[in-house]
Amino acid sequence: MDPRQATELAQRVVARRWPAALAVVLAGSNGAGRATPTSDLDLVVLLPPPGPVLRETVGRAPLTELFVHTAESWQVFVAKETAARRSPLLHMCASGVLVRDVGGHGARLQREARHRWAAGPPPLTSAESNDRRYVLTALVDDLGGSCEPDELLTVGAEVFAAAGELTLLRRRRWLGRGKWLVRRWSATDPDGCAAACSGLRRLAATGDPRELVAAAARALDAAGGRVGAGYRRLAPDSTVRGAAPRPGRSGGLRAATRRELSARRSVPRG
């Protein structure tokens, strides 16, 4: 589908489902003019209050994903996503094509989105940097020491993602998931991303993790180096209500940190 066809389809879908929309942004591959046969139609729809606020998938060939907001809900969602340093909603509005603009609402929305996207995510705190380096250090050690083929593949994928995220956050770039991690990492650090991609392909093809381990080690070194013995992180007060943490259980902290990073990567888009 070419951009003109995508725009016309977006206008028809919104006219049918949300005729009162104040603004509509056509985002994703169709908005950028690089759609594939499986690309869906991503539309951010701004409604007058009270909404509703929802995410909805309709149609077929292509599927249309609607991210429906009011001005107030848009601010709330963007604030939450910015705190997580991954904001699909900001990116869609900043990079998409404005296909409806009633009373300047769309222009204002897109102007703010572009400003906030260009500003980048909040910088990592020292504690957050240590957490991520600690997790990547452990994963690199797991990868280098494993001989089980299935474990190598799953740990290798985690190493790749953790190294890419650490690189992006160290440079105050937005996180991405799946193809967006590769795109943003490549745009930020093309040599580092190419080395990690080559290492991951080699691991999948031959079972040899050394190239990926070396690429991840370079990402660690650039961020301040490995973090292992001596790592210490107190649990937040809200998690220990009446229960003192057991001493000598650093493995539990490591697991908790891994789960936290995994949860951040699984935040639903929009």
Side-chain angles (χ1 to χ4, degrees), residues 103-163:
H105 288 278
R108 287 191 293 272
L109 178 78
Q110 193 159 64
R111 187 163 53 246
E112 180 175 357
R114 287 173 175 171
H115 173 76
R116 294 173 72 162
W117 183 261
L124 280 181
T125 66
S126 176
E128 288 171 326
S129 176
N130 284 343
D131 288 347
R132 285 182 174 269
R133 288 160 54 205
Y134 180 72
V135 169
L136 182 53
T137 298
L139 288 170
V140 167
D141 289 345
D142 286 346
L143 183 62
S146 178
C147 298
E148 210 287 321
D150 293 337
E151 290 182 5
L152 283 170
L153 287 175
T154 54
V155 176
E158 288 194 71
V159 166
F160 181 90

Side-chain angles (χ1 to χ4, degrees), residues 201-254:
R201 288 194 298 269
R202 183 179 181 86
L203 173 64
T206 69
D208 183 354
R210 289 175 294 179
E211 189 176 350
L212 180 56
V213 166
R218 286 193 291 274
L220 266 174
D221 289 342
R226 292 169 56 90
V227 175
Y231 174 82
R232 187 171 186 266
R233 192 80 155 92
L234 292 176
D237 290 342
S238 60
T239 67
V240 295
R241 308 282 176 166
R246 296 180 183 178
R249 295 300 296 271
S250 60
L253 283 176
R254 178 191 296 178

Side-chain angles (χ1 to χ4, degrees), residues 160-171:
F160 181 90
E165 289 188 354
L166 182 61
T167 300
L168 291 171
L169 293 175
R170 180 175 64 84
R171 300 192 182 191

